[in-house]
């Protein structure tokens, strides 16, 4: 007697709407993780999106680049289009092509190279707070976004031609946003995707033209220290360098990888410090005690242990890159699933970082945990891990430390009471959707906590109770 074939994966599948994922990625992943554990699928009309959670699956996906491929944008564009060239940077390359280009691109991000950027980053950080005034309410997310637009544009395209560099940065920022808008449209409806596709291609054409102008300017001028100039001069073992098309793709993708991720991290870190004033007070003491109001030297960047712990914990509890995706490059087994070529697999930094079996009291901001823990690179992965780990991690951390030192030695920031703080994942990145209104006060003012509303309380547990061992300052009468 024939028996009906049983789908062995059915216990790991939730039937639902695929659009539930882009609508609220974190809530969708949390529900799948709570229901199914470390491997799950969301299925709609026979289409499945696979989710793999935790360090074991992170390691499987990130340490096997031959079986699991990466892609920067779902919207590749027609052959020989600017859109196709702009999306063909390091994050979209695989196999030998990725290995060759990673070796070429790593040069500008090595220690000897990023040390050159320190002085310029200090100058940009001074500009960031130059117009701040005590008593102002500032949208800190907007401030940090504009700051990182200047930083990323300058580092990539040049400090010597700021107007041209920043124009390319603004155009790249808009192009990346349009990629997300069209991609979400494709997720929801063909009509919505088609409506924005032509505008995306036109933006790609305009952006490519400006990057080509910058490449020509760099090729004809004296050597400069920006990333684009260093990439133009980079050569592999055979003496071959990058073509202009390859430079275009690397520039666009590097900008996309650096800009909003660091802006979001700066914003979330300042928010978490405002909600934990006892930690902010201790950090002020460390910064002023070590730096005495100055910017950190390259050597001092590693001599600020509390600042280091605060940044690590911020990137753990509210990671700017909340999830990433890989695609099966060939038929492969993953847990109970037999994946066909092209099957997308989502892994999540946010879910991993909030696993209680990995991090005690995982929902709370506790920088002191980093005094005693050393998680594996696949349990704590704000910059990913494995052979595709972010090459700009050291530069990003240096930027965070310099910018936070500039802000926190001058001002104390507190939340505007009752503000609605809503975090949402947009194009894999977790950021505030309604801004971050904060009151600027003197750095020496008593530290205090103000309550906020919004879905932030579903993302992190805010504990306003003062921890006397950390030396909270009482609120002014």
């Amino acid at each position: 007697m024939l028996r009906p074939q049983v789908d062995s994966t059915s216990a790991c599948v939730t039937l639902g709407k695929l659009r539930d994922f882009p609508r609220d990625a974190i809530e969708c992943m949390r529900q799948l993780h709570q229901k199914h554990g470390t491997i799950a699928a969301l299925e709609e009309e026979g289409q499945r999106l696979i989710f793999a959670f935790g360090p074991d699956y992170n390691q499987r996906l990130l340490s096997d680049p031959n079986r699991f491929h990466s892609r920067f944008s779902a919207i590749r564009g027609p052959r020989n289009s600017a859109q196709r060239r702009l999306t063909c940077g390091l994050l979209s390359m695989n196999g030998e092509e990725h290995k060759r280009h990673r070796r070429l691109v790593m040069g500008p991000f090595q220690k000897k190279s990023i040390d050159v950027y320190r002085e310029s980053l200090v100058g940009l950080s001074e500009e960031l707070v130059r117009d701040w005034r005590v008593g102002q309410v500032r949208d800190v997310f907007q401030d940090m976004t504009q700051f990182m637009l200047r930083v990323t544009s300058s580092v990539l395209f040049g400090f010597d031609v700021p107007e041209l560099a920043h124009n390319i940065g603004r155009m790249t920022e808009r192009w990346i946003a349009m990629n997300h808008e069209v991609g979400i449209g494709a997720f929801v409806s063909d009509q919505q995707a088609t409506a924005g596709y032509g505008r995306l291609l036109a933006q790609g054409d305009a952006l490519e033209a400006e990057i080509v102008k910058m490449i020509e300017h760099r090729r004809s001028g004296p050597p400069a220290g920006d990333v684009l100039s260093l990439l133009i001069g980079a050569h592999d073992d055979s003496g071959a360098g990058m073509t202009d098309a390859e430079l275009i793709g690397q520039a666009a993708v590097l900008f996309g990888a650096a800009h909003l991720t660091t802006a979001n991290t700066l914003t979330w870190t300042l928010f978490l410090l405002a909600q934990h004033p006892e930690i902010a007070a201790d950090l002020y003491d460390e910064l002023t005690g070590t730096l005495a109001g100055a910017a950190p030297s390259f050597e001092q960047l590693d001599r600020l242990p509390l600042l280091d712990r605060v940044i690590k914990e911020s990137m753990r509890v509210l990671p700017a890159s909340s999830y990433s995706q890989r695609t099966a490059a060939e038929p492969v087994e993953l847990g109970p699933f037999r994946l066909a070529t092209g099957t997308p697999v989502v892994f999540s930094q946010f879910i991993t970082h909030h696993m209680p079996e990995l991090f005690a009291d995982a929902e709370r901001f506790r920088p002191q945990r980093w005094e005693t823990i050393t998680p594996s690179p696949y349990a704590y992965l704000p910059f990913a891990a494995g052979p595709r780990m972010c090459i700009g991690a050291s530069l990003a951390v240096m930027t965070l430390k310099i910018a936070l030192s500039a802000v926190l030695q001058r001002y104390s920031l507190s939340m505007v009471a009752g503000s609605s703080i809503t975090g949402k994942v947009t194009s894999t990145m977790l950021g505030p959707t309604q801004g971050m209104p904060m009151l600027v006060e003197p750095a020496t003012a008593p530290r205090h906590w103000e309550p906020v509303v919004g879905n932030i309380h579903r993302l992190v547990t805010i504990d306003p109770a003062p921890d006397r061992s950390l030396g909270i300052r009482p609120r002014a009468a």
Side-chain angles (χ1 to χ4, degrees), residues 353-395:
H353 291 180
H354 284 251
M355 287 182 169
E357 62 269 33
L358 299 177
F359 300 98
D361 209 12
E363 301 299 318
R364 285 182 165 81
F365 177 70
R366 295 286 185 262
Q368 60 267 36
R369 76 173 75 242
W370 294 95
E371 296 176 1
T372 57
I373 66 169
T374 308
S376 81
Y378 297 99
Y380 177 70
L381 59 168
F383 297 107
R388 302 190 71 106
M389 182 177 176
C390 175
I391 61 174
S394 296
L395 178 58

Side-chain angles (χ1 to χ4, degrees), residues 303-424:
R303 299 177 191 165
L304 298 165
L306 180 55
L307 178 61
D308 189 65
R309 293 195 292 269
V310 163
I311 291 171
K312 283 181 177 177
E313 181 69 351
S314 172
M315 292 192 296
R316 184 195 68 81
V317 76
L318 291 173
S321 182
S322 62
Y323 76 87
S324 297
Q325 183 175 303
R326 291 293 183 265
T327 301
E330 59 186 45
V332 62
E333 291 185 1
L334 191 69
F337 296 103
R338 177 70 176 174
L339 308 184
T341 301
T343 302
V345 183
V346 172
F347 67 95
S348 174
Q349 294 92 327
F350 185 95
I351 297 298
T352 302
H353 291 180
H354 284 251
M355 287 182 169
E357 62 269 33
L358 299 177
F359 300 98
D361 209 12
E363 301 299 318
R364 285 182 165 81
F365 177 70
R366 295 286 185 262
Q368 60 267 36
R369 76 173 75 242
W370 294 95
E371 296 176 1
T372 57
I373 66 169
T374 308
S376 81
Y378 297 99
Y380 177 70
L381 59 168
F383 297 107
R388 302 190 71 106
M389 182 177 176
C390 175
I391 61 174
S394 296
L395 178 58
V397 171
M398 181 170 76
T399 303
L400 291 168
K401 289 183 176 181
I402 289 173
L404 290 170
S405 296
V407 172
L408 297 173
Q409 288 190 93
R410 289 167 175 78
Y411 300 110
S412 170
L413 299 177
S414 60
M415 298 304 303
V416 174
S419 297
S420 179
I421 306 302
T422 299
K424 188 177 189 304

Side-chain angles (χ1 to χ4, degrees), residues 108-152:
F109 298 98
Q110 292 175 346
K111 183 178 183 296
K112 63 181 180 181
S113 297
I114 67 172
D115 189 18
V116 176
Y117 305 136
R118 191 202 73 87
E119 185 176 346
S120 296
L121 290 173
V122 170
L124 290 170
S125 297
E126 297 290 338
E127 289 181 19
L128 166 67
V129 294
R130 185 171 296 161
D131 296 331
W132 291 21
R133 297 291 182 269
V134 170
Q136 283 182 328
V137 172
R138 301 195 65 91
D139 182 351
V140 169
F141 178 53
Q142 181 66 22
D143 284 334
M144 297 304 147
T145 301
Q146 291 304 308
F147 167 69
M148 282 310 303
L149 176 62
R150 292 191 294 273
V151 167
T152 310

Side-chain angles (χ1 to χ4, degrees), residues 214-361:
M214 180 64 87
I215 292 172
E216 293 172 347
H217 173 74
R218 290 296 178 216
R219 288 196 191 279
S220 62
D226 57 275
V227 170
L228 181 60
S229 295
L230 295 174
L231 292 180
I232 289 172
H235 296 84
D236 60 22
D237 294 339
S238 69
M242 292 189 199
T243 66
D244 283 3
E246 290 170 336
L247 289 167
I248 289 165
Q250 298 299 359
V253 171
L254 287 171
F255 185 98
H259 172 218
L260 275 180
T261 50
T262 311
N264 287 340
T265 299
L266 282 167
T267 304
W268 289 130
T269 302
L270 291 169
F271 165 76
L272 290 165
L273 287 170
Q275 295 300 85
H276 298 83
E278 71 284 2
I279 300 173
D282 279 357
L283 182 54
Y284 171 77
D285 290 344
E286 175 181 274
L287 292 172
T288 55
T290 302
L291 305 177
S297 67
F298 199 77
E299 293 72 24
Q300 286 173 321
L301 290 169
D302 293 326
R303 299 177 191 165
L304 298 165
L306 180 55
L307 178 61
D308 189 65
R309 293 195 292 269
V310 163
I311 291 171
K312 283 181 177 177
E313 181 69 351
S314 172
M315 292 192 296
R316 184 195 68 81
V317 76
L318 291 173
S321 182
S322 62
Y323 76 87
S324 297
Q325 183 175 303
R326 291 293 183 265
T327 301
E330 59 186 45
V332 62
E333 291 185 1
L334 191 69
F337 296 103
R338 177 70 176 174
L339 308 184
T341 301
T343 302
V345 183
V346 172
F347 67 95
S348 174
Q349 294 92 327
F350 185 95
I351 297 298
T352 302
H353 291 180
H354 284 251
M355 287 182 169
E357 62 269 33
L358 299 177
F359 300 98
D361 209 12

